Amino acid sequence: MISLTEVCAGVSGPSVPSGMVAPMQSRTPPTPPAPRTGGRPRSATADAAILEATRQGLVELGWSKLTLGAVATRAGVAKTTLYRRWAGKSELVVDAVAELFDELELPDRGSLAADIENVVLQFAVLLGRPETKTALMAVVAESTTDEPLRARIRESIVDRQKRLVLAGRERAQRRGELPVEPDAVGAARTADLIFDVIAGAVVHRALVSAEPVDEEWARRFTLLLLGGLAAAAAQT
Amino acid sequence: MISLTEVCAGVSGPSVPSGMVAPMQSRTPPTPPAPRTGGRPRSATADAAILEATRQGLVELGWSKLTLGAVATRAGVAKTTLYRRWAGKSELVVDAVAELFDELELPDRGSLAADIENVVLQFAVLLGRPETKTALMAVVAESTTDEPLRARIRESIVDRQKRLVLAGRERAQRRGELPVEPDAVGAARTADLIFDVIAGAVVHRALVSAEPVDEEWARRFTLLLLGGLAAAAAQT
DNA sequence: GCAGTTACGCTACGGCCCGTAGCGAAAGCC
DNA sequence: GGCTTTCGCTACGGGCCGTAGCGTAACTGC
């Protein structure tokens, strides 16, 4: 497939110019086996089957009743194979749902308002799926007592969402809808704030309030956020 | 200690006029035993000990490693006693953390901005505690495949938060900072929206982004939200 | 005081799932 | 062909679940 060593080399700092819409490096396989010299290669088919079986299991059983034994059986794979690649249920599920977040895109709809509504509705679609519904909150809960897991979630899921926000902002700045903040630190904080507001509001609406994130809600939310952005910009 | 019978009597309808800042009916005991005629009463002491032991267990073990057997032992109670009152781990934990949300208050700070900052920081303090951190997301995740649990969370936790938002809005309207929306349906939707934005943003910042909800963040967030409210009000 | 009713502590149990160990066989690299 | 790594399979100890059954404790109503 792809040689990982070179892809992974020098991916430490989050020092990407930020703003580019270019796709992140494509999904990295689970638990890269140490030095990869000779020997029988891991079956990519098995990987795919396991992740798919995980998602199916999440849909039918939910997070808490999902067992790794059942996933292995459904995937047509031995349980030991599964444990060779993932440390536990959390890591596996993160990778399984992370694939769904790869579908996220942000086409240019011509205005900041349209872009925001679009991204909100995309989040909503993802969070409407039963797999993500039950998995996302569970792994985040788990990550509160598991720092490596949190890092994995951030890389695989959160940053993937954040890209959309950054891209949207850059476009809006090009259109003149948003000012270019000269202070890099302040700009980053603003971006973080906006990201937490958007993602947080959608997640809360969809999972906690458990009410639909439809077009009307997206419109009202966008109106609110745009007004806030205008006021915040004026404040500067 | 306390006679439970009278406390339990007539606590069925949630039909409070809604909007009052008066405290909700104080915590209802778990799984009210059916008709409550004669017989040995349940130990209120045991209830308190169990809930406290649950919180301690959450702090030390986290949600996933918390076992009901351990809780019972720590509380000095038989495991069977625990199962007589709560259907499972989720229900128990909801009740345990719900007590923490009773501490929420909303003193009048003189302006809408100050009130919002205050409520944000109060949410942040609660979400900063390790018990709530690990428990809240976990039970919400569980509730995606368990409707009764969702209802319990809503009553015990979410509505308790929402009260603060409603109270804050009412105060702001009295001060003239916010317009009184004549349309009841629209007003309710706006309130829901604002609640999801506030609670969602704070939760996302604290648990997903895992960065501090300090005074500076609260200030920036409040600025954003107030601007949005002004714009939304003008739109009407 | 005495029956009736309910909660309590304790013990014990079958059942499920976990995570690992130990094989022999398969599939690639040199 | 030898070396290396993965794979499927089986088996296992251990933990926790959730319940049943029992004798005892606490409180109510007659």
Side-chain angles (χ1 to χ4, degrees):
Chain A
M1 299 262 128
I2 300 180
S3 169
L4 286 186
T5 33
E6 39 211 317
V7 178
C8 296
V11 189
S12 55
S15 53
V16 185
S18 124
M20 280 310 293
V21 196
M24 302 187 110
Q25 25 229 347
S26 65
R27 186 137 303 293
T28 75
T31 319
R36 294 307 303 122
T37 157
R40 175 176 178 174
R42 287 192 175 172
S43 162
T45 311
D47 269 350
I50 291 172
L51 292 174
E52 179 56 31
T54 302
R55 286 187 289 267
Q56 284 185 18
L58 283 172
V59 172
E60 297 176 15
L61 305 171
W63 159 269
S64 61
K65 294 181 183 172
L66 179 73
T67 72
L68 293 192
V71 170
T73 303
R74 188 194 297 262
V77 164
K79 197 169 54 161
T80 45
T81 299
L82 212 154
Y83 276 102
R84 280 192 200 97
R85 309 188 185 195
W86 286 277
K89 188 159 122 174
S90 303
E91 289 79 4
L92 171 61
V93 169
V94 168
D95 287 3
V97 303
E99 287 190 336
L100 301 177
F101 281 82
D102 289 345
E103 302 169 3
L104 289 175
E105 285 178 10
L106 187 61
D108 192 332
R109 301 251 162 147
S111 74
L112 178 56
D115 280 356
I116 293 178
E117 282 187 32
N118 183 28
V119 78
V120 163
L121 290 176
Q122 281 198 51
F123 279 6
V125 169
L126 236 59
L127 292 177
R129 301 179 66 156
E131 317 93 282
T132 52
K133 249 190 171 65
T134 189
L136 208 57
M137 304 295 268
V139 294
V140 170
E142 217 53 45
S143 76
T144 59
T145 57
D146 184 344
E147 185 54 35
L149 181 61
R150 159 168 297 142
R152 194 187 196 105
I153 294 172
R154 179 185 293 278
E155 287 176 26
S156 303
I157 300 179
V158 179
D159 284 351
R160 275 186 159 63
Q161 299 175 314
K162 204 166 190 172
R163 270 177 53 236
L164 303 190
V165 173
L166 294 176
R169 178 180 66 169
E170 201 199 357
R171 266 188 217 150
Q173 288 173 339
R174 270 202 293 259
R175 290 192 203 102
E177 293 176 298
L178 285 179
V180 180
E181 297 185 58
D183 175 19
V185 179
R189 280 189 190 153
T190 304
D192 287 346
L193 172 62
I194 294 179
F195 174 58
D196 282 327
V197 168
I198 295 179
V202 174
V203 169
H204 200 273
R205 169 85 177 177
L207 301 188
V208 179
S209 296
E211 284 174 48
V213 180
D214 51 19
E215 292 183 9
E216 197 218 329
W217 189 87
R219 230 188 46 244
R220 293 178 80 110
F221 171 76
T222 302
L223 190 63
L224 186 73
L225 179 57
L226 278 181
L229 289 177
Q235 185 82 4
T236 311
Chain B
M1 299 264 132
I2 300 180
S3 167
L4 288 185
T5 34
E6 40 212 318
V7 180
C8 298
V11 188
S12 56
S15 53
V16 185
S18 122
M20 283 306 296
V21 194
M24 303 187 110
Q25 24 227 347
S26 63
R27 188 138 301 295
T28 73
T31 319
R36 295 303 303 122
T37 155
R40 174 175 177 176
R42 287 192 174 169
S43 162
T45 309
D47 270 350
I50 291 171
L51 293 174
E52 178 56 31
T54 303
R55 286 186 289 266
Q56 284 184 18
L58 284 172
V59 172
E60 297 176 13
L61 305 171
W63 160 267
S64 61
K65 294 183 183 174
L66 180 73
T67 71
L68 292 192
V71 170
T73 303
R74 189 194 297 264
V77 165
K79 196 169 54 160
T80 46
T81 299
L82 212 153
Y83 277 102
R84 281 193 199 97
R85 311 188 184 195
W86 286 279
K89 187 158 122 175
S90 303
E91 289 79 4
L92 171 61
V93 168
V94 168
D95 286 4
V97 304
E99 286 190 335
L100 300 178
F101 281 80
D102 289 346
E103 302 169 4
L104 290 175
E105 284 178 10
L106 185 62
D108 192 332
R109 301 253 162 147
S111 75
L112 178 56
D115 279 356
I116 292 178
E117 283 188 30
N118 183 30
V119 79
V120 163
L121 291 176
Q122 280 198 53
F123 278 8
V125 169
L126 237 61
L127 293 178
R129 301 179 66 157
E131 317 93 285
T132 53
K133 250 191 171 67
T134 189
L136 208 56
M137 303 295 268
V139 294
V140 170
E142 218 53 44
S143 76
T144 58
T145 56
D146 183 344
E147 186 53 35
L149 180 62
R150 180 193 300 288
R152 195 186 196 107
I153 294 173
R154 179 186 293 278
E155 287 177 27
S156 303
I157 298 180
V158 180
D159 284 351
R160 275 186 158 65
Q161 300 176 313
K162 204 166 190 171
R163 270 178 54 236
L164 302 190
V165 173
L166 295 175
R169 178 180 66 169
E170 201 197 358
R171 264 187 218 150
Q173 288 174 338
R174 268 203 294 260
R175 290 192 202 103
E177 294 176 296
L178 286 179
V180 180
E181 297 185 57
D183 176 18
V185 180
R189 280 188 190 154
T190 304
D192 286 346
L193 172 63
I194 294 177
F195 174 59
D196 283 326
V197 168
I198 295 179
V202 174
V203 169
H204 200 273
R205 167 86 177 178
L207 301 188
V208 179
S209 296
E211 284 173 48
V213 180
D214 51 19
E215 292 183 8
E216 197 218 328
W217 189 88
R219 229 188 45 244
R220 294 178 80 110
F221 172 76
T222 302
L223 190 62
L224 186 74
L225 180 57
L226 279 182
L229 289 176
Q235 185 81 3
T236 313

